[in-house]
Amino acid sequence: MWTQRIKTGLVTTTAAASLLLLAACGPSPSPAGSSSAPPTSSSASPTSASPSASNSPSPSGTVTSAAPAEGQCKADSLTAATDSTGGGAAGSIYEKLILTNSGTMPCTLEGFAGVSLTADANGAPIGEPATRETTTPVTKIELAPGKSAWAELRYTQAGNYGDCTKVPAAGYRIYPPNDTASLFVAEQHDACSNAGIKLLTITAFQAV
């Protein structure tokens, strides 16, 4: 019986030693409450710079632009007239060429009119067009409906030129600045049909 107890004790001791050896070779248990998942990239990498609302471009719908400039005055919204009370000297007649805004919207007038003598309201120009007189500075004039601007128009008598081939003219064909449509002012003069004789000069428009 004593021999049986010794064998039983040896078996028990050997089994216990085996368990201790396996425990020593196995992985260590994780601490309580800790996670075995690897750290995420957000906790390891620095915060990347992202554009804030103050640095982001404004949406296109919130951008305000300056009000558009007034449109240029065109022949279809203008009336033309001349005023010859300026008189004349040395064979020339000085007149005011007056353009009035007859439309319903404001417009701008800037620069020189194109002026020629013509046989009638629908006829072609006769001779040379008016030469620009640049002593008057060019300014931008805002014309409200009913308002006018004027330029000085000088007509030199055709009889002053011995080589002039005289042709009767019924009036002036007038092109507002930067326009290809024209107006007509009835005013009889002699024109020179041959090239090279300049009977007309015109200044830039001025505010009334």
Side-chain angles (χ1 to χ4, degrees):
M1 184 176 294
W2 180 254
T3 302
Q4 182 67 29
R5 288 179 180 175
I6 291 173
K7 288 181 178 181
T8 303
L10 288 174
V11 172
T12 304
T13 302
T14 302
S18 298
L19 290 175
L20 290 174
L21 182 60
L22 290 173
C25 296
S28 301
S30 300
S34 63
S35 172
S36 60
T40 62
S41 59
S42 61
S43 62
S45 60
T47 304
S48 61
S50 59
S52 63
S54 60
N55 294 330
S56 301
S58 300
S60 58
T62 63
V63 176
T64 58
S65 58
E70 300 291 354
Q72 294 182 342
C73 299
K74 299 295 184 179
D76 60 359
S77 62
L78 294 170
T79 56
T82 55
D83 179 359
S84 59
T85 57
S92 296
I93 298 173
Y94 290 86
E95 301 178 288
K96 286 184 176 180
L97 171 61
I98 302 168
L99 294 184
T100 302
N101 182 359
S102 58
T104 59
M105 298 293 293
C107 62
T108 59
L109 197 66
E110 182 178 13
F112 298 84
V115 183
S116 297
L117 289 164
T118 183
D120 54 55
N122 299 313
I126 303 172
E128 298 285 342
T131 301
R132 293 180 177 184
E133 174 57 67
T134 58
T135 55
T136 301
V138 173
T139 57
K140 182 179 288 186
I141 304 164
E142 296 185 5
L143 289 184
K147 297 299 181 180
S148 304
W150 68 278
E152 185 178 78
L153 174 64
R154 185 181 73 181
Y155 165 75
T156 301
Q157 300 286 355
N160 291 352
Y161 300 89
D163 58 345
C164 171
T165 303
K166 291 184 182 179
V167 175
Y172 297 114
R173 182 175 300 287
I174 298 161
Y175 294 86
N178 305 306
D179 198 359
T180 55
S182 64
L183 302 165
F184 177 76
V185 176
E187 189 174 312
Q188 293 183 350
H189 291 291
D190 284 332
C192 296
S193 62
N194 46 324
I197 299 177
K198 299 180 182 296
L199 302 181
L200 305 174
T201 61
I202 188 74
T203 67
F205 280 100
Q206 307 171 54
V208 173

